[in-house]
Amino acid sequence: VNTTDDCGWTALMKASLHGHLEITQLLLQQGATIDLVDSGGYTALLLAASNNHKPVVMALLDKGAAINHQEQTRGWTALIWASKRGHIETVQLLLERNANKFISDYNGKTALSWAKESNKPSVVTLLE
């Protein structure tokens, strides 16, 4: 279940990216390693959060996914991704699960900075 392709992607990463909850759960039950990273440092949680797949994010967090993991290209976390894209339900879930909203990316921007810059007022309100 942890076989990777040339970019380091696992089946869990691909299922999470596309919001396939049942497949994500099956892979986790079969022993998929939850926090494996691809060549850019992305985890299944980052991929699910960046694409607003709240049920998958919840399933991954329930199994212990590293909520504050930063990918290697920009230093973005799941919260930064979700905030930047305006995924309010996913942002709310991450905050409820104690995601650190003060983590800065490699350019010094936080989730709040990205929400403001991306004109996501509902997310800004949650983060403030």
Side-chain angles (χ1 to χ4, degrees):
V1 293
N2 291 319
T3 301
T4 60
D5 66 12
D6 292 342
C7 294
W9 282 57
T10 64
L12 180 62
M13 289 174 189
K14 290 182 181 190
S16 298
L17 172 71
H18 295 291
H20 298 304
L21 178 60
E22 295 81 14
I23 295 171
T24 298
Q25 291 170 326
L26 177 64
L27 289 164
L28 291 170
Q29 289 169 359
Q30 296 299 313
T33 303
I34 200 161
D35 287 325
L36 286 179
V37 296
D38 71 1
S39 58
Y42 280 82
T43 63
L45 179 64
L46 282 166
L47 295 166
S50 67
N51 287 285
N52 203 29
H53 299 306
K54 181 184 173 187
V56 174
V57 171
M58 187 178 301
L60 294 167
L61 291 173
D62 287 347
K63 292 292 185 178
I67 196 167
N68 293 314
H69 173 79
Q70 290 180 274
E71 54 82 29
Q72 298 168 359
T73 60
R74 294 182 181 105
W76 290 359
T77 63
L79 183 61
I80 289 172
W81 261 114
S83 298
K84 179 184 185 319
R85 291 194 165 172
H87 301 320
I88 192 157
E89 290 182 1
T90 300
V91 169
Q92 190 167 22
L93 173 63
L94 291 165
L95 291 172
E96 288 169 1
R97 297 294 185 95
N98 297 315
N100 185 341
K101 65 182 182 178
F102 301 107
I103 292 175
S104 296
D105 67 12
Y106 298 154
N107 290 317
K109 294 181 182 178
T110 63
L112 178 59
S113 305
W114 277 110
K116 287 179 179 178
E117 186 173 311
S118 302
N119 195 28
K120 307 299 181 193
S122 298
V123 174
V124 169
T125 300
L126 273 178
L127 292 167
E128 287 180 330

